[in-house]
Amino acid sequence: MTRWNDGRDEIGAVSADITEETNALPARYFTDPDVHEMEKEKVFGRYWVYAGHANRIPERGDYFTRTIGGKQIIVTRDGEGDVRAFYNVCAHRGSKMLDDAPMTDPGSLGRITCPYHLWTYELDGDLASTPKSFEEATLNPDLDDESVRGLDPEANGLMEVTLDSIGPLVFVNFADDPDLTLAEQAGSMKDELEALPLEEYELARRYVSEVECNWKTFSGNYSECDHCQANHQDWVRGLELMESELEVNDYHWILHYQHREDVEDEMRIHDEHEAKFYYFWPNFTVNMYGTADGYGTYIIDPIDEGRFQLIADYYFRDADLTEEEEEFVQTSRQLQEEDFELVERQYDGLRSGALAQAQLGPNEHTVHKLHRLAQDAYEA
Amino acid sequence: MAMEREKSAHAGALACPTCDFHTTVAEPNDAIECYRRHRSVTGHAIAWERTALDAAVETDDVETALDGLGDEYGEGVPLGVLTAALAERGVTIEETLDAIYALRMEGAIYEPRDDRVLVV
Ligand code: FES
Ligand SMILES: [Fe+2]
Ligand SMILES: [Zn+2]
């Protein structure tokens, strides 16, 4: 049963069983600015969150920056060839060190130097050098140079962020002691993705859109296909929707979209005759196309409670796209725009405050999983 | 995107000349935030496509334009307004913000409130 904000209906927690009445996350979790603040820690500060693609930083010292839940990080490749992440924050007095460099336009450096007082760090985060004024007490009449303590390189190094990968896909976790390893959070998805040659593909396109709804509103839309028949008519024409399946796992779900017999689908990165879309809690998707030799990723990045950025990246064998690939990307963009219309309209409705708790249908079990995970995160 | 919003009061529309990003903003300074966000994830510089503000300037010189608008905005000219007015003279947001940065570093302007500036 739907619950309204009419002074009579009462909301409940998201039931574990989807057939029960209170099976959706209460509406205020989509519209409340305090929830957005809470999510920075409870969602984006505790789970494994996608940071970027290792192919973009092939050489020692290559780096890109990312902001996740308000935390700014540098993702770089150290002297050993390992990808590592550090807060973009100086160990001296906390300055932001590097300017933003998205992975579409990565930077490169030999050492990380803070522009404020020129403390310099190795690519493994250790403090490499400081200017003379940190070794001698020339300006301080109360101190002689001998009493200036030396700075241990490691103890005064950068703050590292826990990092792990699935193939070339790099994830970070901001918890001091993460509850789960990336392998545990990803489960079977890790093996499935690592069986594919993801690293052989190049980033060909990035499209970023700002959409006026809560990030979870879009996540819910991505995860179900009850809206497809009415709203993605061009796309569903090629699908056998009744043969398709939405598979739910612990922290990810997979939308298996079967093609109709007559659809030309020999071009694929994977074996199954289907498009395979992975949603990985909290805000990442990997889209294995059914009819193009490539894949895409989405980052669903909150701006505030009522807006998010969709960062859509497209990977193909070659960054120079063929005409068919160009067309494919355009179709994907068209799908996005159709969905943006839907979620902005849904959010307009949600924002009016009438709805207290929605209800989910039997084939929205993926959305139910999303809502359950959000609730678990908030309660943890 | 944001079709509904276009009918209500809004400051204008922005687009990216490099990718196919389009958006509309309600407040002029939302454009500046949006510019920074887009730059941070793409490296691209978005530009005003259409503005719905009365502020107009007769010059393409940033300092002169700012001086002219200063009378109307006692608490500082919002960078969104300044960039929109200068866009009509063919000056991009990137050029305006670069010029503002240079002027600020010279001490020629000040920022009485965040992202609002006045000539000294
Ligand atoms: S804050 Fe970075 S060197 Fe001082
Ligand atoms: Fe959709
Ligand atoms: Zn762009």
Side-chain angles (χ1 to χ4, degrees):
Chain A
M1 186 187 85
T2 299
R3 319 252 151 156
W4 296 107
N5 275 321
D6 58 0
R8 293 193 302 274
D9 290 352
E10 270 182 51
I11 59 167
V14 190
S15 59
D17 179 351
I18 196 174
T19 63
E20 278 173 27
E21 285 199 351
T22 54
N23 64 8
L25 192 65
R28 80 165 186 90
Y29 289 102
F30 295 82
T31 55
D32 186 340
D34 292 342
V35 172
H36 168 67
E37 285 305 314
M38 167 178 78
E39 286 175 341
K40 288 181 183 172
E41 290 309 319
K42 296 207 160 197
V43 174
F44 297 98
R46 289 205 190 147
Y47 294 88
W48 289 91
V49 181
Y50 180 65
H53 202 288
N55 281 13
R56 304 300 301 164
I57 46 171
E59 307 291 339
R60 168 183 197 281
D62 290 351
Y63 73 93
F64 59 80
T65 60
R66 272 279 288 149
T67 302
I68 297 170
K71 299 179 176 73
Q72 308 199 32
I73 61 167
I74 303 165
V75 180
T76 186
R77 198 176 284 274
D78 70 12
E80 249 78 90
D82 293 327
V83 177
R84 303 177 70 154
F86 302 97
Y87 279 87
N88 191 3
V89 175
C90 181
H92 173 222
R93 280 167 57 200
S95 174
K96 173 174 175 171
M97 299 181 296
L98 302 180
D99 288 337
D100 292 344
M103 75 174 194
T104 47
D105 190 15
S108 168
L109 39 73
R111 284 174 169 182
I112 300 165
T113 299
C114 176
Y116 199 175
H117 315 90
L118 306 182
W119 282 35
T120 296
Y121 304 88
E122 303 289 0
L123 296 170
D124 62 5
D126 284 1
L127 182 63
S129 68
T130 57
K132 268 245 170 309
S133 63
F134 290 90
E135 288 154 20
E136 294 167 2
T138 338
L139 304 185
N140 187 340
D142 298 331
L143 274 188
D144 43 39
D145 292 351
E146 288 76 64
S147 53
V148 176
R149 69 193 148 75
L151 294 167
D152 177 73
E154 213 183 311
N156 296 286
L158 300 177
M159 178 151 156
E160 187 153 13
V161 181
T162 309
L163 177 148
D164 200 357
S165 303
I166 297 176
L169 308 173
V170 175
F171 296 81
V172 291
N173 191 313
F174 291 100
D176 296 333
D177 189 11
D179 292 337
L180 299 167
T181 62
L182 176 59
E184 286 165 345
Q185 189 181 313
S188 52
M189 182 180 100
K190 181 174 160 72
D191 299 330
E192 288 175 33
L193 294 184
E194 287 186 339
L196 302 172
L198 299 183
E199 64 287 346
E200 291 171 18
Y201 291 68
E202 284 177 43
L203 177 61
R205 293 280 188 282
R206 163 169 284 195
Y207 291 107
V208 176
S209 307
E210 298 202 356
V211 187
E212 291 182 24
C213 74
N214 184 266
W215 66 280
K216 300 184 295 302
T217 307
F218 181 81
S219 304
N221 165 277
Y222 177 95
S223 301
E224 50 91 359
C225 213
D226 285 351
H227 72 274
C228 296
Q229 207 73 55
N231 295 284
H232 302 306
Q233 285 161 8
D234 287 351
W235 184 61
V236 290
R237 214 166 284 143
L239 292 184
E240 211 58 90
L241 262 191
M242 289 304 135
E243 306 294 311
S244 299
E245 188 193 319
L246 310 184
E247 170 196 338
V248 173
N249 300 280
D250 287 350
Y251 293 94
H252 74 276
W253 40 101
I254 310 171
L255 322 172
H256 301 267
Y257 292 125
Q258 300 277 328
H259 297 127
R260 296 173 60 118
E261 285 291 337
D262 54 349
V263 169
E264 163 62 74
D265 70 347
E266 290 318 303
M267 297 288 277
R268 291 188 318 277
I269 180 172
H270 54 285
D271 293 333
E272 301 85 350
H273 280 262
E274 60 180 21
K276 216 170 169 181
F277 295 162
Y278 291 82
Y279 190 102
F280 185 50
W281 168 261
N283 69 331
F284 182 57
T285 83
V286 187
N287 314 319
M288 298 294 169
Y289 306 131
T291 55
D293 186 15
Y295 60 95
T297 61
Y298 285 172
I299 302 170
I300 305 163
D301 241 359
I303 298 170
D304 53 31
E305 74 286 352
R307 290 178 301 170
F308 76 94
Q309 271 185 323
L310 184 74
I311 303 176
D313 291 328
Y314 294 86
Y315 296 84
F316 289 94
R317 287 278 176 188
D318 195 317
D320 279 332
L321 299 190
T322 64
E323 221 169 283
E324 289 78 32
E325 287 166 344
E326 291 274 10
E327 223 171 273
F328 182 88
V329 172
Q330 204 190 324
T331 306
S332 161
R333 287 278 304 113
Q334 183 194 335
L335 276 175
Q336 280 168 25
E337 293 294 340
E338 288 168 355
D339 282 325
F340 295 161
E341 285 284 312
L342 297 173
V343 294
E344 289 190 338
R345 176 182 285 261
Q346 181 189 3
Y347 200 68
D348 241 4
L350 280 178
R351 228 184 337 218
S352 76
L355 189 69
Q357 188 166 20
Q359 57 173 323
L360 299 174
N363 295 307
E364 293 174 313
H365 50 310
T366 43
V367 183
H368 180 243
K369 184 73 197 184
L370 170 78
H371 289 194
R372 289 277 300 168
L373 285 170
Q375 177 173 274
D376 289 352
Y378 302 155
E379 284 172 356
Chain B
M1 237 182 308
M3 295 302 169
E4 298 301 313
R5 282 287 170 95
E6 290 198 32
K7 286 174 218 141
S8 56
H10 77 291
L14 297 120
C16 179
T18 311
C19 67
D20 78 343
F21 177 84
H22 287 265
T23 194
T24 55
V25 288
E27 295 296 326
N29 268 0
D30 292 348
I32 304 302
E33 279 181 39
C34 185
Y35 174 93
R36 293 182 183 132
R37 279 196 301 269
H38 193 74
R39 178 148 215 152
S40 152
V41 292
T42 63
H44 305 159
I46 63 168
W48 284 104
E49 195 177 40
R50 185 160 42 75
T51 63
L53 299 165
D54 317 328
V57 293
E58 306 283 287
T59 171
D60 62 6
D61 177 69
V62 175
E63 190 171 8
T64 315
L66 178 60
D67 203 14
L69 289 169
D71 303 334
E72 294 168 51
Y73 296 90
E75 297 198 296
V77 182
L79 290 174
V81 171
L82 180 68
T83 55
L86 281 160
E88 303 286 332
R89 301 274 143 207
V91 187
T92 64
I93 297 177
E94 183 176 30
E95 287 163 346
T96 301
L97 294 184
D98 284 353
I100 285 294
Y101 180 79
L103 288 168
R104 204 155 56 82
M105 289 300 125
E106 284 166 21
I109 62 170
Y110 67 110
E111 191 171 357
R113 285 175 53 191
D114 190 34
D115 289 337
R116 287 166 168 258
V117 286
L118 288 172
V119 174
V120 167

